[in-house]
Amino acid sequence: MSELVRLKAAGKRYESAGPPALDGVDLTISAGEAVAVMGPSGSGKSTLLNLVAGLDRPTHGQVEVAGTELNRLSEKALARFRRTHIGIVFQFFHLLDDLTARDNVLLPAQLAGTSRRAAFDRADELLDALGLAARADAYPARMSGGERQRVAVARALINRPPLLLADEPTGAVDAKTGAQVMELLRDLNRSGQTVLLVTHDAALARGCATRLVQVRDGKLTEQVTANAATHEQVKP
Ligand code: ADP
Ligand code: MG
């Protein structure tokens, strides 16, 4: 399997005094894996995800995605790289309230310069695949939490990024909807999408990940293979 993400002794110190939020993390993710990063609140999960997303830069070590060391890229190049290589789903959806579901999904394709026609077709294909065809013209305020998160997933996937990231994607929805979001991520992974997910919910993580990783006090403490019966075992 080809390597999609590699962190080498990666760390992040937000303030010069005090301990680093993330320290000496070595982690490799192969194409096709679904890796869940677990750990208590404040342990450094979002910091780790943001480094992989190129939303933040490491203060030590290296972060590579698809063979590119992110820290070598200028802000502009990094933004361009993110647009085509990384899709992100957040806890609170981060949809634009004055755009319809379809227009939210379309936006990253427009920013990437995709032709209007191709972007529209891809948006409708995704909305359809995620059971949102009838909601394409709805505004986020009129949608349920689960619908909003599915729109956010469609938006994350519109540019066909090799890597899908999710930061507590079930954190703002009820338990039943959370289970559906996890099923969606699991199905996407089964159809080939590489996923890196952070969550503090172990049960949900086990349901959709092929590999579990623990973060505690900014350090990766253990890597265990998910025991979801339906998944092939992936070597850590
Ligand atoms: P988690 O996502 O696991 O809850 P975070 O990665 O958000 O943890 O935070 C890890 C640590 O870094 C925490 O102690 C948090 O307070 C600190 N932290 C996170 N973001 C910032 C920031 N922008 N500035 C300063 N400290 C931060
Ligand atoms: Mg977090």
Side-chain angles (χ1 to χ4, degrees):
M1 258 195 280
S2 72
E3 190 178 293
L4 192 53
V5 177
R6 179 186 280 267
L7 284 87
K8 290 186 213 161
K12 176 76 186 177
R13 202 183 270 279
Y14 289 106
E15 289 146 35
S16 48
L22 203 67
D23 195 16
V25 169
D26 291 300
L27 176 66
T28 302
I29 300 173
S30 297
E33 284 194 275
V35 175
V37 176
M38 292 186 300
S41 179
S43 57
K45 303 184 299 297
S46 293
T47 300
L48 172 56
L49 198 92
N50 290 343
L51 293 187
V52 174
L55 291 172
D56 207 349
R57 290 178 186 268
T59 45
H60 39 284
Q62 290 169 7
V63 179
E64 283 177 22
V65 176
T68 297
E69 193 193 327
L70 301 188
N71 225 12
R72 288 185 195 276
L73 302 178
S74 65
E75 282 306 309
K76 202 173 163 190
L78 188 57
R80 205 179 311 127
F81 182 87
R82 262 203 316 264
R83 220 174 276 143
T84 49
H85 288 78
I86 295 165
I88 314 179
V89 177
F90 299 97
Q91 177 173 359
F92 296 107
F93 325 123
H94 289 197
L95 298 176
L96 297 177
D97 288 336
D98 49 4
L99 295 184
T100 63
R102 183 190 287 108
D103 287 341
N104 267 285
V105 174
L106 274 172
L107 197 56
Q110 289 171 327
L111 292 171
T114 308
S115 79
R116 196 176 161 76
R117 186 61 212 241
F120 257 80
D121 288 351
R122 171 79 176 144
D124 280 343
E125 175 190 309
L126 280 166
L127 287 166
D128 196 27
L130 297 179
L132 291 165
R135 305 295 277 147
D137 297 312
Y139 288 87
R142 307 295 295 268
M143 308 183 99
S144 69
E147 286 175 334
R148 285 185 227 188
Q149 199 55 302
R150 279 181 284 148
V151 172
V153 170
R155 178 184 57 183
L157 294 175
I158 187 142
N159 290 334
R160 302 179 197 275
L163 180 62
L164 178 64
L165 304 177
D167 191 344
E168 306 277 7
T170 64
V173 296
D174 62 61
K176 184 165 166 253
T177 307
Q180 288 167 355
V181 170
M182 284 295 173
E183 259 170 51
L184 172 59
L185 294 178
R186 189 195 59 198
D187 291 347
L188 288 169
N189 174 247
R190 283 180 181 171
S191 58
Q193 180 70 53
T194 309
V195 177
L196 173 60
L197 155 81
V198 316
T199 180
H200 61 267
D201 190 327
L204 290 176
R206 282 203 189 87
C208 86
T210 55
R211 181 154 59 109
L212 308 179
V213 170
Q214 284 282 345
V215 179
R216 235 168 254 282
D217 296 332
K219 292 197 188 300
L220 218 65
T221 55
E222 58 184 278
Q223 298 197 20
V224 283
T225 303
N227 54 8
T230 44
H231 272 89
E232 277 181 51
Q233 295 246 316
V234 177
K235 280 198 221 111

